[in-house]
Amino acid sequence: MIRINPHYPKLQASYLFADIARRVSAFQQQHPDKHLIRLGIGDVTQPLPPACIAALHQATDEMANAANFRGYGPEQGYDFLRQAIATHDFQARGAQIDADEIFVSDGAKSDTGNIQEIFAQDVRVAIPDPVYPVYVDTNVMAGRTDAAVDGRYPGFVYLDSTAANGYVPALPSEPVDLIYLCFPNNPTGATATRAQLAAWVEYARQNRALILFDAAYEAFIRDPELPHSIYEIPGAREVAIEFRSYSKTAGFTGLRCAYTVVPKECMAWDDSGQPVALHALWMRRHTTKFNGVSYPVQRAAEAVYSAEGQQQVRALIDGYLDNARTIRRAFEAMGFACTGGENAPYVWIDAQRDAWAFFDLLLHRAGVVCTPGVGFGRCGQQHVRISAFNSAENVANALQRIRQALQ
Ligand code: MLT
């Protein structure tokens, strides 16, 4: 008799965004004439930068003749892209990351979900609350928790992010080994200062812990004081893995390209107490289970770093940032406490009532889709997240409808 992984039944019935999609489609079936405005899932809506499109076309043409055709590429990514990443995303900001420490992949969701499998079953995992659900679910699937009680999994150390701490969690009071951090944050849109990240790096160094730093929204940072990478913090190379993505940076959600940085100094310990380089472990895992991102897509990602690409990507993100500021101002004017919406594409709104009830109200009365905060954790029970990933026109219409619905 074939048996299932006994940890899967511990998961919530479905993934948050699948759950929302089901509710929205049920509503749409009942109200086929209602035009919905989607400010829920953080999926980009604006087209790819022209520099990326040109690179895609050119690479596709190269694949059309035998002289230039490429089959399997290096699993970790082509040198042209890894070198561009190391130069522009890190060395240009004073962070010492080399091209061979970069692993190109199909998405930060896959990487942040897969990374946990190189660590021991009994590592103590610190999970911020609210949090991107992938970090939670993948550790549950791996068997690092018991079944959830009141929406929380025994086995995790939860790090509350609330208005009281400015949505940047305090260091844990009990020892932890693996720490997930995401800044600019999904879902709250909060950012972490250099001093705040330095405290986490120091904690990890003191406790032989490892930080998994999700910087998927880094490109939204406009404040010159804020760090873009954890490697801008001295000492981070030994205690942090960083995840980046072109999804939100350059509109690649439908194209798929991201990367993970594993510095060579990053260590974990084997059963006999010997340090093992995580770079070698991740290389082994990545080359075994992944065959690389397609050549045209890597050329498109490389084009992000060209002079035109940089200009186009900045304009793209400026548009979403304008939306984010507009959303935050509108909700504040309606009397809601908000965070995010600056240096981030998400606005986290204290709805002052049950998150799903507010979600339903916006859906039914305004025809606007948001994300109920409770889907990101217990601290989001009374919050919703509004995403800025839409056109300025749709955002203006959505806010107009919400104002009317809440009158
Ligand atoms: C979100 O809405 O939180 C994001 O779209 C999730 C993701 O990037 O996978």
Side-chain angles (χ1 to χ4, degrees):
M1 185 174 62
I2 180 81
R3 295 174 59 238
I4 62 161
N5 176 337
H7 307 299
Y8 271 58
K10 297 174 189 169
L11 296 164
Q12 317 274 345
S14 63
Y15 183 63
L16 172 64
F17 294 104
D19 206 12
I20 293 169
R22 222 182 10 261
R23 283 189 187 224
V24 170
S25 111
F27 174 82
Q28 195 80 88
Q29 269 175 10
Q30 282 162 9
H31 306 90
D33 299 335
K34 185 99 186 166
H35 169 247
L36 290 181
I37 302 177
R38 293 168 195 274
L39 304 177
I41 189 163
D43 192 4
V44 294
T45 56
Q46 304 308 303
L48 288 162
C52 299
I53 293 289
L56 270 177
H57 279 297
Q58 193 186 325
T60 308
D61 286 344
E62 285 176 43
M63 297 290 261
N65 68 68
N68 299 322
F69 172 78
R70 305 212 187 198
Y72 291 127
E75 292 93 338
Q76 315 89 294
Y78 284 103
D79 282 343
F80 63 77
L81 179 56
R82 299 168 89 203
Q83 197 56 62
I85 292 169
T87 307
H88 294 276
D89 284 349
F90 297 100
Q91 293 161 12
R93 296 196 57 84
Q96 203 40 60
I97 294 295
D98 290 328
D100 65 354
E101 294 174 314
I102 289 157
F103 295 83
V104 176
S105 78
D106 68 333
K109 181 178 190 174
S110 324
D111 287 350
T112 56
N114 292 328
I115 193 79
Q116 49 74 30
E117 68 178 69
I118 65 172
F119 303 106
Q121 189 72 12
D122 60 357
V123 290
R124 291 158 301 186
V125 181
I127 298 278
D129 181 348
V131 75
Y132 181 43
V134 172
Y135 317 153
V136 173
D137 287 1
T138 52
N139 278 286
V140 173
M141 289 170 177
R144 294 202 174 87
T145 69
D146 286 330
V149 181
D150 284 341
R152 282 200 163 174
Y153 289 99
F156 288 147
V157 173
Y158 284 93
L159 308 172
D160 287 359
S161 307
T162 62
N165 57 26
Y167 298 95
V168 178
L171 299 174
S173 49
E174 51 192 302
V176 299
D177 304 310
L178 203 54
I179 302 151
Y180 288 85
L181 293 179
C182 172
F183 290 107
N185 188 259
N186 180 12
T188 66
T191 50
T193 63
R194 217 166 275 278
Q196 284 166 327
L197 286 189
W200 279 103
V201 167
E202 182 57 22
Y203 173 91
R205 292 173 66 87
Q206 298 280 330
N207 293 278
R208 288 188 169 191
L210 185 82
I211 298 169
L212 299 175
F213 191 73
D214 185 347
Y217 299 93
E218 161 277 333
F220 290 80
I221 296 175
R222 288 288 184 267
D223 181 342
E225 296 299 314
L226 290 172
H228 289 237
S229 164
I230 194 146
Y231 304 119
E232 290 174 42
I233 309 300
R237 278 184 59 87
E238 285 122 72
V239 293
I241 289 176
E242 182 165 304
F243 305 90
R244 293 272 190 110
S245 169
Y246 297 97
S247 285
K248 316 297 156 81
T249 303
F252 273 46
T253 55
L255 205 54
R256 312 305 307 148
C257 195
Y259 66 86
T260 288
V261 185
V262 188
K264 299 232 174 86
E265 288 94 320
C266 252
M267 298 289 159
W269 284 262
D270 69 12
D271 286 349
S272 57
Q274 292 303 308
V276 177
L278 292 177
H279 184 276
L281 284 192
W282 187 244
M283 174 78 88
R284 188 71 176 84
R285 191 266 169 216
H286 192 76
T287 52
T288 303
K289 295 196 178 183
F290 190 64
N291 246 343
V293 172
S294 77
Y295 172 68
V297 169
Q298 291 194 57
R299 282 294 186 198
E302 181 194 28
V304 166
Y305 301 102
S306 65
E308 321 82 79
Q310 287 288 286
Q311 217 173 37
Q312 292 160 4
V313 159
R314 197 172 168 94
L316 195 62
I317 292 176
D318 279 347
Y320 291 133
L321 280 170
D322 281 347
N323 289 345
R325 267 188 297 272
T326 306
I327 294 167
R328 179 168 176 165
R329 280 200 202 115
F331 272 88
E332 283 178 341
M334 286 183 272
F336 293 93
C338 301
T339 189
E342 287 159 1
N343 305 296
Y346 297 126
V347 184
W348 186 242
I349 296 159
D350 183 348
Q352 301 151 11
R353 72 199 88 179
D354 176 75
W356 278 112
F358 197 67
F359 169 89
D360 283 335
L361 188 155
L362 294 192
L363 180 61
H364 289 259
R365 299 240 295 261
V368 173
V369 182
C370 68
T371 307
V374 68
F376 300 104
R378 190 193 279 173
C379 292
Q381 265 166 345
Q382 302 233 325
H383 289 75
V384 296
R385 188 194 75 178
I386 306 260
S387 147
F389 291 115
N390 215 314
S391 64
E393 189 188 357
N394 277 344
V395 166
N397 283 339
L399 292 170
Q400 185 56 26
R401 290 192 200 175
I402 291 170
R403 272 186 215 100
Q404 276 168 5
L406 294 178
Q407 254 169 22

